[in-house]
């Protein structure tokens, strides 16, 4: 690839009360892989922003809760030269040592979207609940059935081309963000793939979604609703063309 066409990567980390793990995580991110590292503090009360600022990364404050909202706020703060964005959770469930491999595979595959699959990677026992595994299986089956793209997971670690992010016009503000990205990429027949990544139980802090039944059910419901919404928009669009 000629130097002028080289990808320039940002890493975006949405964080809600993750001060316990964030410092160690940022120290493990491979140096020189990312031109910009953004931590979006989603209204934390535990000093998450201070930990991020102390590590010298870009801190964005998004006081309105929601994983998708945090991602949107981070995207609005990307520097102009950034061409691709990697995402990772802040609780050290994702392993920063997978990032270099993810970036390499993204580049070699010329992908629009590359998802790190925790199912292919063999996650640590207890890190993915049975409900999460079932939800992933069902959602990825639905995506394959509706739009023909094969995924095995809706994992948080991923890379997407910036220009694709703009095309996808993602609107989900919480748990539907990842699945909306995959469903819309499938619908547009973009070049999407997966690689195996590791996944562990969170290394500290409090569980917010998968650790509680209420959180899991809310997330699962929102994921299925988001797939339905993408399908419904498709059907409406097709009708308008007739
Ligand atoms: N739950 C939640 N997480 C957020 C929010 N904003 C940012 N995050 C971050 O999004 C990532 C995913 O949330 P987690 O709470 O780890 O969700 P999970 O991995 O399904 O479940 P647990 O690790 O068991 O809590 C973490 O880095 C959070 O800090 C938000 O509004 N709600
Ligand atoms: Mg987590």
């Amino acid at each position: 690839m000629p130097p002028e066409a080289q990808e320039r990567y940002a890493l975006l980390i949405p964080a809600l009360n993750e001060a316990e793990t964030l410092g160690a995580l940022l120290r493990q991110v491979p140096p020189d892989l990312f031109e910009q590292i953004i931590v979006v503090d989603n209204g934390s009360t535990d000093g998450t922003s201070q930990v991020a600022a102390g590590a010298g990364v870009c801190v964005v404050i998004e006081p309105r809760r929601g994983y998708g909202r945090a991602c949107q706020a981070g995207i609005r703060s990307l520097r102009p030269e950034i061409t691709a964005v990697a995402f990772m959770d802040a609780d050290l469930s994702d392993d920063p040592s997978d990032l270099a491999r993810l970036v390499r595979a993204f580049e070699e595959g010329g992908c629009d979207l590359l998802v790190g699959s925790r199912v292919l990677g063999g996650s640590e026992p207890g890190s993915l609940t049975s409900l999460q595994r079932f939800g992933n299986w069902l959602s990825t089956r639905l995506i394959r059935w509706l739009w023909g793209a094969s995924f095995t997971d809706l994992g948080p670690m991923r890379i997407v081309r910036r220009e694709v992010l703009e095309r996808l016009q993602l609107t989900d503000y919480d748990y539907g963000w990842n699945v909306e990205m995959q469903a819309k990429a499938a619908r547009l027949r973009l070049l999407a793939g997966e690689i195996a990544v590791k996944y562990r139980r969170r290394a500290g802090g409090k569980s917010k979604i998968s650790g509680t039944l209420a959180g899991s059910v809310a997330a699962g419901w929102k994921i299925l609703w988001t797939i339905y919404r993408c399908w419904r928009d498709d059907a409406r669009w097709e009708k308008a063309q007739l």
Side-chain angles (χ1 to χ4, degrees), residues 12-16 38 40-42 60-77 85 87-89 154 156 158 165 169-181 209 219 222-223 226 229:
L12 201 161
I13 306 170
L16 172 61
I38 302 176
V40 185
D41 182 348
N42 208 191
V60 172
I61 308 285
E62 171 51 80
R64 294 169 306 161
R65 289 278 162 89
Y67 182 86
R69 269 202 197 100
C71 292
Q72 302 267 17
I75 289 165
R76 286 195 296 275
S77 301
V85 189
F87 294 84
M88 183 173 68
D89 279 356
L154 309 173
R158 53 184 56 214
L165 263 181
Q169 299 193 356
L170 303 179
T171 55
D172 192 84
Y173 53 84
D174 53 25
Y175 311 127
W177 169 265
N178 284 341
V179 74
E180 186 184 13
M181 190 187 294
I209 308 177
K222 185 62 187 289
I223 286 167
T226 306
R229 192 166 58 83

Side-chain angles (χ1 to χ4, degrees), residues 102 105-106 111-116 157-160 192-195:
L102 193 78
F106 178 80
C111 302
D112 292 315
L113 167 66
L114 184 67
V115 177
M157 190 184 257
R158 53 184 56 214
I159 303 190
V160 58
E194 281 186 333
I195 63 162

